[in-house]
Structures are given as structure tokens and as C-alpha cells.
Amino acid sequence: MKAQRRAARYIGYLFAAALAAPAIPAPAADRVIIGNVSRTVEQLPNYAATDKGFFAQENIQGDVVLIGSTDTLIQALIAGQVHVAIVDPTPAINAVERGATLKIVGGTVPIAAYTLVGCPKYKAIKELKGTTLSVVSLVSGSTIFLREMLKQEGLELGRDYAIIQGGPTTQRLASLSNCNMSATMVLGGDLPRARELGYTEIARLHDYVPNLQFHSFIVDSRWAEANAALLVRYLKAMVRAMQWAHAHKEEAAELVTRRTGIPLKYARVNVEEYLAQGIISRDGSVNREGFQRLIDLMGERLYKQKPYPPPEKYLDMSYLRRAHQELGMTPGR
């Protein structure tokens, strides 16, 4: 009995000592600075990665900064002020052709879902002749898409219309209020706001140029090489966030409302449409066909002659393949 009592006291001493001992701190989370242009439905995977704990599970602190211009965002990426830019790949392609060491390592939105909206007196593209349109950036993907849409209707930039850089969507929509600007391109999540303001839906990009790769993960290859394991963990978190969104549509819509301010009744419609049509990716892959189509649209102004470069000049899918392998996934594209 004495031995048992001594053993019990010893165990008690050990337990008390364990409680008194200072806790070993968890390793500090690795910071990844993520650049976006604005708060939109298209950023749903980013919101989910943070709010549903996927970044935390990969020991990542994902800090999002909003930079209202795609050109400025890419400049911040090149300068090392941002680690990952989630934006359309057009400005990255332009930057690479000027010598930047950028790579597209995956994507969240494999299909660009733009609509051209205008102040109420404009109802068709041909009516925009002689007007000025507002764009987010002079060389962004949406501007290239806009020029192609108008070109197919016989309108040429400089001859038949002008464009002015108007900043984020809210500013561009405001510029339509008195018809100071005739029209602008908006994404699906901004359509409800445009409708409430009384603006007309002039044309949809899909009817002119279908299946274009849109929001992509863009990194500086030097940062990626120096932080390969971190980048793979980041992509794992984002892929899991995409899968969560597809499996939890109602909760995803509520998340979009909290993060963007879009009323829930509209967010539900947007999220349902985006997920059903594959506008939000399931696995982070890049739509190679859509990427090649984007290169072809840029071709006349960017490259000296044909053939234009293949997507592989700008893509590096090795990090995403590693992320898929660690998640036990077979990529869908």
C-alpha cells in the first residue's frame, strides 16, 4: 500500500509539474501577402481559405491587400511587396515580355464572366460609337476583352471610341450616372448593383469570346523557388477552399455577403451560377485552351509576329501538381 501511495504521489508531482511548466509555443505562422484588386464574388476561395481555417491548418497567415489597379498590383508583385497576386494573367504576360520573372502557378477562375453595362440611353454596342468608355486599366484583360467585343461589331479604338482608366468597379459605375462615361465592363457579382442603378446590360463577353482563363495565381519565380514548400502549402489551402465552396453553396453565399457587402439574395444567385458553370475552379488548374485564346487576343499588339508563344512560356504547374499529390487528388484539367 505504501508503494502504491508513493507512486500516486509521484504521478501527482509529475502532473503538477507539467501544469506549471511553460507551454511550448506553436511555431509562428508563415506570412503570405496576397494581392487582390477588389472584393468580388470571384475572390470566394480566398475568403474561404481564411474564414474556414484552411490557411491556419497549413500554418499560414494570409494577409490580403487591395490594390485597385491590375497594373499597380503586378508592379507590387515584381517589387516583392506582394507574394501572390490573384488577378487576370494579362498584365503578367505583358510584364514577362518586358523581362519580369513572373509565373502563373494555378487559377481560381478558369472562365471570365464579364458583362458590358452602360448608362440607360445605350442599349447596343454600335450605339457606343463616338463615346468614351471607362476601364479598370488600359492593358487589363477586361480591356482587351472589351476591345475585341467592339471590334466584332465594327468599332475600333481611337477611330470610333475612346477609353479612360476609371479605377475599381464602384468608381466606374459611378461614372455612368450622368453618362459622363458610356459603358464599362463588370463581373457577375457586380451585375445586381448595376441593375439597381438602372444601367443597361449591353452585351456579355461569353457571346463574343467564350472560355477565357481569368483569375490566376501569379508569383515571382524567384520568390517561388526560395519558398517552394510554402507555396505548395498555400496552394493546398486554396484548393481545399475551392472544394469547400462547391460543397457548401449556401454558406459560401453567406461568406460572400459578409466579405463583399453584396446582399444575400444576389450573392446566392451569383454563387450558384459560378459554381454550376465552373466559373469557380474545383482544383486550381489553369484552363489551357482559354489561356491560349487570351495570348491570341493579345498577339497583334504584344508580339512581333506569329506563331505566338504557347501557354507554357508563362505557366509553371509544378507547385500545383505537388499540392494535388499531397492532397491525394487527380487534377480535373
Side-chain angles (χ1 to χ4, degrees):
M1 290 296 294
K2 290 183 179 179
Q4 290 176 344
R5 284 196 295 270
R6 284 198 299 270
R9 284 198 300 271
Y10 180 66
I11 292 171
Y13 294 149
L14 290 178
F15 184 68
L19 290 177
I24 298 174
D30 293 312
R31 189 182 187 210
V32 177
I33 305 173
I34 305 154
N36 299 162
V37 172
S38 59
R39 295 183 178 91
T40 65
V41 179
E42 287 74 13
Q43 296 295 343
L44 168 57
N46 212 35
Y47 307 146
T50 299
D51 291 16
K52 304 310 296 183
F54 299 119
F55 279 153
Q57 291 169 26
E58 294 293 339
N59 199 35
I60 289 173
Q61 176 186 328
D63 291 339
V64 175
V65 294
L66 295 179
I67 299 175
S69 161
T70 53
D71 299 336
T72 306
L73 175 52
I74 293 301
Q75 290 168 9
L77 181 65
I78 294 171
Q81 298 165 338
V82 168
H83 298 140
V84 181
I86 306 180
V87 69
D88 85 77
T90 308
I93 293 173
N94 279 311
V96 169
E97 292 304 316
R98 295 193 301 269
T101 56
L102 304 183
K103 287 291 184 182
I104 288 88
V105 297
T108 58
V109 182
I111 303 171
Y114 272 106
T115 298
L116 179 63
V117 300
C119 70
K121 70 179 183 179
Y122 299 111
K123 307 226 174 8
I125 285 181
K126 291 185 181 296
E127 296 175 9
L128 300 176
K129 186 173 183 178
T131 71
T132 300
L133 290 79
S134 183
V135 298
V136 66
S137 162
L138 299 180
V139 295
S140 68
S142 59
T143 303
I144 291 172
F145 306 155
L146 170 66
R147 292 179 61 171
E148 179 63 20
M149 292 167 69
L150 270 62
K151 180 180 179 181
Q152 290 188 28
E153 294 288 350
L155 302 185
E156 293 288 343
L157 178 63
R159 184 191 71 189
D160 301 308
Y161 66 94
I163 57 175
I164 288 181
Q165 185 166 318
T169 304
T170 52
Q171 295 179 24
R172 287 183 284 114
L173 286 177
S175 72
L176 304 183
S177 60
N178 296 315
C179 289
N180 293 324
M181 299 289 122
S182 59
T184 193
M185 295 279 271
V186 300
L187 290 165
D190 295 307
L191 267 179
R193 189 184 318 167
R195 290 168 180 153
E196 286 188 344
L197 292 170
Y199 301 145
T200 54
E201 296 175 45
I202 297 174
R204 292 204 171 207
L205 172 64
H206 184 78
D207 295 328
Y208 290 82
V209 192
N211 194 29
L212 283 164
Q213 172 68 32
F214 195 47
H215 279 180
S216 305
F217 299 121
I218 307 169
V219 299
D220 190 301
S221 61
R222 295 167 299 182
W223 178 86
E225 291 166 5
N227 298 274
L230 175 57
L231 178 54
V232 170
R233 283 160 44 211
Y234 167 81
L235 291 172
K236 286 169 63 179
M238 290 298 291
V239 169
R240 292 180 64 201
M242 295 174 211
Q243 294 178 326
W244 174 87
H246 279 272
H248 301 84
K249 295 179 181 179
E250 178 62 24
E251 196 174 347
E254 293 170 356
L255 177 56
V256 166
T257 292
R258 287 199 306 272
R259 287 302 204 99
T260 67
I262 297 172
L264 184 56
K265 63 179 179 179
Y266 298 134
R268 282 195 182 105
V269 174
N270 288 147
V271 168
E272 175 66 34
E273 178 183 356
Y274 274 31
L275 296 176
Q277 296 182 11
I279 294 172
I280 298 292
S281 174
R282 286 181 178 272
D283 64 6
S285 296
V286 168
N287 171 4
R288 190 187 182 284
E289 178 185 347
F291 201 98
Q292 183 65 64
R293 186 171 286 118
L294 177 60
I295 290 171
D296 293 342
L297 284 179
M298 300 175 69
E300 293 181 8
R301 291 177 291 275
L302 185 60
Y303 308 108
K304 293 182 179 179
Q305 60 186 12
K306 292 184 177 181
Y308 303 143
E312 285 69 26
K313 179 176 181 179
Y314 311 101
L315 303 179
D316 183 351
M317 297 293 101
S318 62
Y319 302 100
L320 185 63
R321 284 195 295 270
R322 284 177 56 186
H324 285 161
Q325 289 170 356
E326 292 186 18
L327 290 170
M329 290 176 55
T330 300
R333 286 183 181 273

